[in-house]
Amino acid sequence: METTLLSCPSCGKTNRVPAQASGHPRCGNCKADLPWIVAAGDNDFAAVAEQSAVPVLVDFWAAWCGPCRMVSPVLDKLARECPGKIKLVKVDVDKSPGLSRRFDVQAIPTLMVLIDGKVAARQAGAAPAEVLRSWLDKALAGARS
Ligand SMILES: [Zn+2]
């Protein structure tokens, strides 16, 4: 299973965060909720994203895509701001032709919010940080109502 090393925002301890887990990751030292930022592809998207217990923000990106490089740090920041509430899953379209086809990704970055495995919101193309933030808030609010 793939893991990511992440330092705890509360105590600074480095944690090994799995790509998949029931629930969401917590710090092994202080038990604080940890941000969850992972990668997925054609083979593990179902397990990593669609079966996630917390809402998933999917980022379809590519290494050669300039706008993706602008959006990516914004998404990282949003994920770090709401640990335990969102899981950021990055999909490299060049390595995931199956997912690109299945979700009909025409432009990158394409962002999706998945709640209980279903697409709750979708956004194509780059947007300013405040637009992405309110788009995400709205999608997550829809999930709660
Ligand atoms: Zn901690």
Side-chain angles (χ1 to χ4, degrees):
M1 187 191 290
E2 279 198 50
T3 58
T4 313
L5 292 177
L6 251 167
S7 62
C8 172
S10 300
C11 73
K13 183 186 166 23
T14 299
N15 284 261
R16 195 172 283 279
V17 175
Q20 331 161 200
S22 54
H24 64 268
R26 286 171 199 273
C27 175
N29 186 42
C30 74
K31 308 294 178 210
D33 292 331
L34 291 175
W36 210 0
I37 301 171
V38 300
D42 285 349
N43 296 329
D44 56 0
F45 188 79
V48 172
E50 290 173 289
Q51 290 158 26
S52 170
V54 295
V56 174
L57 174 57
V58 186
D59 175 21
F60 288 97
W61 69 282
W64 45 264
C65 160
C68 297
R69 281 194 290 274
M70 282 161 44
V71 164
S72 180
V74 175
L75 302 180
D76 282 9
K77 189 162 178 285
L78 291 174
R80 283 171 200 282
E81 280 172 9
C82 22
K85 297 191 178 60
I86 191 92
K87 179 180 189 179
L88 175 56
V89 175
K90 301 185 180 218
V91 175
D92 183 338
V93 293
D94 288 335
K95 293 178 184 155
S96 314
L99 288 172
S100 308
R101 239 188 344 263
R102 183 178 150 202
F103 290 105
D104 194 25
V105 176
Q106 306 277 1
I108 48 171
T110 285
L111 311 175
M112 290 192 319
V113 176
L114 285 187
I115 295 167
D116 296 327
K118 294 187 190 68
V119 180
R122 192 176 162 133
Q123 144 92 29
E130 54 277 23
V131 173
L132 292 177
R133 182 189 304 268
S134 62
W135 171 78
L136 180 62
D137 283 349
K138 216 171 139 195
L140 296 178
R144 283 191 295 268
S145 61

